Amino acid sequence: MIDPFLLAKPFLHFLDPESAHEMTLCALETGLVPGQPRDDDPILRVQLFGRALRNPVGLAAGFDKNGRVYDLMAAHGFGFAEIGGVTPRPQRGNPRPRVFRLPADRAVINRMGFPNDGADALETRMQRKGRSPIGVGINLASNADSADPAADFVALATRFAPYADYLTLDVSCPNTANGQVFLEPERLADLLAQLAAIPWVSAGPPMVAKLSPDIDDALLARLVAVLLDARIDGIMVANSTRARPPLRDPAASEAGGLTGVPLMASSTAMLARVRELTGGGVTLVGVGGIASGADAYAKIRAGASAVQLYTGLIYEGTALVTRVKRELAALLRRDGFGSVAEAAAAAAT
Ligand SMILES: Cc1cc2nc3c(=O)[nH]c(=O)nc-3n(C[C@H](O)[C@H](O)[C@H](O)COP(=O)(O)O)c2cc1C
C-alpha cells in the first residue's frame, strides 16, 4: 500500500513549515492520519522513569507544544511523547518566518522561541484528556521576558507534576534571550536547589535536564557534576544546535537551532560522553538526528534507555517510527541482546 504521507508530502512541503505543521496537527486531531501497526516486538519493551512502555521511541518536544495530540501518538507507534515546551504565560515567540526546511540535508532550522498557549491552557487540555495510553513527559521552559526564570520552572514543575511521567527542564533552548542561562553551573545548581525545595518533590515525577550540544567538554563535565550532585533522575541529550556542520541547503544560513540528520553524530558523541561522566547512574534519553533504526541503536549503545525524534517525521511521516522500531529490533537480535536495557547497559563495557 502506498504510504499516505508520501501522497500528502508534496502539498505539505509546498506550504511554509508552520502552516504544514498546523495542518498536520488538525489532521491528527480529526483522525485523518492513518495509524501505524501497534503490535510492537516484545524485545522493544522498556521501563522509563517508572513507567512500562511498549517501545523506547518517543516524540521529541516541540511537535506538540500545546498538548493537542500527545495521547493520539500511541496509534502512530510511539512509546511515549513529550509535550511542550510550555511556559507559565502564553507566548507568541519570535517573528515569522522562523522555521525552515533543509531538504537537501534532511534537516530543519528553527528559531521559534517557544510560542505556546501557556500553562493554564495546557493544564485544562490535559485535565480533559485524562490519563494517556503512552508515557508522557512535559517540557518546561521560562517565559522569554521573565524576570525570574528559576521561579518559572518551580511554578511549572509544581503545577504539572500530577500530569506527567517525567518533567524535562529545558535549559538549552538557543532561541530566547534567557533560554540558556542555566547552562552556567552556579545558576543550574541554584535552580536545582529551588526545585528540590518543592515539598512534593521526592514523591513527584522524575526530573530530566535537557542539554545543549553547543557546550565544550569542560563545561559539560561541570554541568553533569552539578546534575549528579542534585541527584537528577535523567539527562536528555540533546537540543538543537547553533553549530553549522557542512550543509548543502541554501537555508543553512538562517539563524536558529539546527535539527535532523546533521545533528546525529555530534549528539550521539555527546551522549556517550555523558554516559561516561555519569557512570550509568542516571537514565539517559538520546535525541538528535534519528532517521533509522541504526541511528536509534547507536544512541542506545551509547547508553540511552530511550530515544526521541522529531525532524525525521517532517521528511518521512510516522512510517519512520515503524521503520525505526523494526530495524532496531533486528539490530538488537543481531548482536545477541534480549532487550533495549541490556544493550544500553553494555555501553559501560
Ligand atoms: C520546530 C522545532 C521546535 C522545537 N521545540 C522544542 C521545545 O520547545 N523544547 C525543546 O526542548 N526542544 C524543542 N525542539 C528540539 C527537539 O525536541 C529535539 O531535541 C531536536 O529537534 C533534535 O531531534 P531531531 O533531530 O529528531 O529533530 C524543537 C525542534 C524543532 C524542529
Side-chain angles (χ1 to χ4, degrees), residues 60-63 65 82 84-86 99 108 110 112 114 139 168 170 172-173 210 238-240 257-261 263 287-290 308-312 314:
F63 183 93
K65 285 178 178 296
E82 190 164 316
V86 59
V99 186
V108 161
N110 94 82
M112 295 189 92
F114 292 133
N139 185 287
T168 300
D170 182 1
S172 48
C173 175
K210 185 167 181 180
N239 214 318
S240 59
L258 174 72
T259 57
V261 168
L263 186 57
V287 52
I290 292 180
Q308 294 179 325
L309 54 85
Y310 178 175
T311 302
I314 293 169

Side-chain angles (χ1 to χ4, degrees), residues 3 6 8 136 155 195 241 312 333:
D3 177 357
L6 295 180
V136 177
L195 289 166
T241 181
R333 286 210 171 82

Side-chain angles (χ1 to χ4, degrees), residues 94-348:
N94 295 321
R96 296 187 188 203
R98 53 192 180 179
V99 186
F100 306 88
R101 291 185 207 97
L102 285 69
D105 302 296
R106 290 223 145 205
V108 161
I109 290 175
N110 94 82
R111 49 172 182 264
M112 295 189 92
F114 292 133
N116 77 100
D117 296 345
D120 286 347
L122 177 59
E123 187 176 14
T124 305
R125 214 167 267 140
M126 293 192 80
Q127 275 167 348
R128 211 174 47 228
K129 282 180 183 279
R131 185 170 161 82
S132 157
I134 51 172
V136 177
I138 306 182
N139 185 287
L140 314 179
S142 57
N143 278 111
D145 61 354
S146 172
D148 187 352
D152 283 6
F153 279 102
V154 171
L156 289 168
T158 306
R159 181 163 192 171
F160 285 107
Y163 300 96
D165 293 305
Y166 70 91
L167 296 172
T168 300
L169 310 171
D170 182 1
V171 292
S172 48
C173 175
N175 299 318
T176 59
N178 61 16
Q180 297 194 337
V181 292
F182 296 108
L183 292 182
E184 193 189 306
E186 292 74 25
R187 287 194 75 168
L188 181 64
D190 177 60
L191 169 65
L192 295 170
Q194 291 194 42
L195 289 166
I198 302 174
W200 53 259
V201 88
S202 56
M207 296 235 191
V208 181
K210 185 167 181 180
L211 294 179
S212 162
D214 299 338
I215 53 181
D216 65 21
D217 192 63
L219 179 56
L220 177 62
R222 289 176 65 203
L223 290 170
V224 169
V226 168
L227 293 171
L228 289 175
D229 255 7
R231 297 179 196 281
I232 195 86
D233 301 289
I235 302 180
M236 193 169 277
V237 183
N239 214 318
S240 59
T241 181
R242 282 194 181 121
R244 292 292 181 269
L247 297 167
R248 285 179 292 166
D249 203 284
S253 58
E254 291 293 343
L258 174 72
T259 57
V261 168
L263 186 57
M264 173 62 201
S266 57
S267 59
T268 307
M270 182 178 171
L271 175 69
R273 179 69 178 130
V274 171
R275 171 66 184 75
E276 196 173 73
L277 291 165
T278 55
V282 178
T283 299
L284 304 181
V285 178
V287 52
I290 292 180
S292 69
D295 293 339
Y297 186 56
K299 290 191 190 287
I300 289 163
R301 292 303 305 269
S305 297
V307 297
Q308 294 179 325
L309 54 85
Y310 178 175
T311 302
L313 296 176
I314 293 169
Y315 294 102
E316 201 175 329
T318 48
L320 172 63
V321 184
T322 301
R323 186 166 65 79
V324 164
K325 290 187 295 185
R326 189 181 60 241
E327 294 170 354
L328 174 60
L331 289 166
L332 288 166
R333 286 210 171 82
R334 181 196 70 185
D335 292 347
F337 293 115
S339 68
V340 170
E342 245 180 55

